[in-house]
Amino acid sequence: NGWNTVFQPVFRQRNKQFLINLCFQSRSITNNIYSFIMEVIKIYPENPNPKEINKVVNVLKEGGLIVYPTDTVYAIGCDALNVRAVERICRLKGINPQKVNLSIICYDLSNISQYAKVNNEHFKLMKKNLPGPFTFILPTHSNLPKIYKNRKTVGIRVPDNSIIREIVHQLENPVLTTSIRDEDEILEYTTDPELIAEKYENDVDIVINGGYGGIEASTIVDCSEDDAFIVREGKGKLIW
C-alpha cells in the first residue's frame, strides 16, 4: 500500500510525460493521433467564419472527409481531385464508381470546362438555374482523375449554400458530394447534424453544423446528349 501511495503516481506521471515528449518529437505521430478525432464545427450560412472555413479547407487538402450542408440535404465530401480521398468515400458509402455517377460541387460556372464538356445551350440552361438545387449530368473532361471516367459522365452542382461554396472557393478544387441517407423507412435523409456526427464519428474528420438540413434531394438534369431532360424531380424547379 505504501508503494502504491508514494511511487505509483510518480511512475504514471513519468510515463505520461514520456508519451507527450514522444508525440512532439514526431510530427507524423502527432498527426496520426489527431486524425482519429472527429470535430464538429458550427458555421453560420449567413456569415461563414473565415477561420472555420480555413480549418475545413486544410483538412480537405490533407485528404480528409467532411460532412457539410447544401441547399438540399447534408452530404459527405472530400477534395474531388484527391483520388485516395474519393476512394475512401466510395468505400464508406458502398459506391461502385464504375456503376454510379459521381458528382462534384463547383463554386460557380467560371471553370466548369475544366471538369466537364458543356455546349452553349446547356451552359445557358445551367446559368439560368445555378446556384440552386440541381445536379447537371455532363460528359467528363479529361482533366478529372480516371475514377470519374468509368461512367464517362459527371454530376455538376453549384448549390445555393454559402458554406460549401466558400469552402470550394478557398480550396480552389471542386468537392466530391454524396448525400447522407437515413436508415429510417419513412425519413429518407438525416436532417439533424448532431445525429449525423454521432453516426459518422469514426468515419469522417469534420462535421459542419450549419443548421438543420432539408429532406428533398436535388433535381437531376441529364445534359450528356444534345437534348437535356430531367432524370429525377427534386427540390429544384427547372427554368428552361
Side-chain angles (χ1 to χ4, degrees), residues 16-215:
K16 180 180 178 182
Q17 189 62 47
F18 172 76
L19 290 173
I20 292 173
N21 291 339
L22 184 63
C23 287
F24 278 102
Q25 288 170 8
S26 174
R27 186 175 181 181
S28 62
I29 293 177
T30 306
N31 288 339
N32 285 336
I33 289 173
Y34 282 111
S35 67
F36 290 100
I37 303 174
M38 187 272 292
E39 185 176 3
V40 178
I41 298 177
K42 178 71 175 179
I43 301 180
Y44 296 93
E46 306 83 20
N47 187 26
N49 186 320
K51 182 179 179 181
E52 304 294 1
I53 293 292
N54 188 57
K55 184 185 296 184
V56 176
V57 169
N58 287 336
V59 167
L60 290 172
K61 287 181 177 179
E62 294 172 0
L65 307 189
I66 66 169
V67 170
Y68 56 90
T70 69
D71 54 355
T72 54
V73 300
Y74 268 85
I76 296 178
C78 65
D79 181 343
L81 304 188
N82 186 318
V83 175
R84 289 188 177 181
V86 173
E87 290 173 342
R88 186 179 162 195
I89 285 185
C90 288
R91 289 193 299 269
L92 175 62
K93 295 295 298 294
I95 296 172
N96 183 345
Q98 295 183 348
K99 297 181 179 180
V100 178
N101 277 320
L102 298 178
S103 295
I104 61 176
I105 289 179
C106 298
Y107 175 69
D108 56 23
L109 297 179
S110 61
N111 60 351
I112 192 76
S113 60
Q114 294 184 32
Y115 313 114
K117 301 172 185 175
V118 55
N119 62 35
N120 290 335
E121 291 303 314
H122 294 158
F123 184 83
K124 291 177 182 177
L125 179 64
M126 295 172 74
K127 194 172 181 180
K128 286 180 183 178
N129 292 277
L130 298 176
F134 299 92
T135 301
F136 288 91
I137 306 298
L138 295 167
T140 307
H141 195 282
S142 58
N143 285 350
L144 279 176
K146 185 178 179 181
I147 193 169
Y148 292 91
K149 299 171 187 174
N150 294 315
R151 291 280 297 174
K152 299 183 179 180
T153 55
V154 62
I156 301 294
R157 286 218 63 200
V158 183
D160 187 14
N161 181 281
S162 58
I163 296 174
I164 186 57
R165 287 186 66 212
E166 188 58 28
I167 289 170
V168 171
H169 187 50
Q170 297 300 324
L171 180 64
E172 297 182 338
N173 277 345
V175 166
L176 178 76
T177 182
T178 174
S179 301
I180 293 179
R181 294 182 176 272
D182 200 292
E183 296 176 358
D184 190 283
E185 294 181 359
I186 299 176
L187 186 65
E188 188 174 3
Y189 297 100
T190 305
T191 61
D192 188 339
E194 292 186 4
L195 295 179
I196 295 173
E198 290 179 9
K199 181 177 180 180
Y200 290 98
E201 63 179 344
N202 297 317
D203 300 311
V204 303
D205 300 280
I206 287 179
V207 172
I208 298 173
N209 182 344
Y212 280 91
I215 58 173

